[in-house]
Amino acid sequence: MRAGLALFRRELAGYFATPIAAVFVIVFLVLAGALPIYAGDFFGRGEADLEPFFAFLPWLYLLLAPAIAMRLWAEEARTGTVELLFTLPIGPGTAVLAKFLAGWAVMALALALTFPMWLTVAWLGDPDHRVIAAGYAGSLLVAGLYLAVASAASAVTRNQVVAFILGVALCLLVTIPGAPALAGLLGDRLPAGIADAVAVFGVLPHVRPMARGVIDLRDLIFFATVTAFFLFAASVALGLRRAG
């Protein structure tokens, strides 16, 4: 645990020692503010809530989480520092978790800095703050899930560009089953039961209830299970590399 904590601190400090964290946070804040206002009709809806804001966040994370995660292991493998890491008294699982938590902390910071959106709707109307808090919690879970997916992609390659592309592809894979367009397409061609079963494997149907203030245990289990699976996949990939 001491080695894992030390790795977490080193990785977190590494984000802020370079422009990576600053660039990520700035890009995220600009897009997270602009998209709901200009594409989501944030002010024209006449409702004091953050539903348009939360609706765009998964799609932002789909691109930005792989950008954060692509350096987690691909860069370590390219520079050879991963071999040095393997000489330390730390297992692949602990190393994966430490690096994941560091990246998730950066994403959590970026999400926290969107608080002016919350203040804006509180100033414009009388929102249900419990609903907004649940939406933020769901968004943080989505960020963690996509980061875990992208971490697994980074663990199987030495090239950061390949890690990014593979991470985006895998994130799309866990998003598309619940996308409204696909749900409508499958609903027209498949029995309702099958279409609903496919949608269960997507991220969006599990985060939408949280944006409306509904926190269901099944949704929490989904996020925990998928996140843990991809973190385990990343640790297995690193374990195989270590053994080789």
Side-chain angles (χ1 to χ4, degrees), residues 112-129:
L113 290 177
T114 63
F115 73 92
M117 300 289 290
W118 194 339
L119 296 179
T120 299
V121 296
W123 178 64
L124 292 175
D126 185 23
D128 189 330
H129 295 287

Side-chain angles (χ1 to χ4, degrees), residues 15 18-30 64 67-68 106 110:
Y15 281 113
T18 63
I20 295 176
V23 170
F24 170 82
V25 171
I26 292 172
V27 171
F28 176 79
L29 292 178
V30 170
L64 296 179
I68 283 284
V106 173

Side-chain angles (χ1 to χ4, degrees), residues 6 11 23-24 30 44 66 85 123 145 162 172 177 188 198 208 233:
E11 193 68 21
V23 170
F24 170 82
V30 170
L85 179 64
W123 178 64
L145 186 150
V162 174
L172 274 173
D188 294 337
V198 172
R208 286 196 201 103

Side-chain angles (χ1 to χ4, degrees), residues 10-11 71-82 99:
R10 189 204 76 172
E11 193 68 21
R71 62 177 291 275
L72 289 181
W73 295 110
E75 179 66 11
E76 296 264 17
R78 187 186 67 82
T79 59
T81 53
V82 68
K99 281 176 164 281

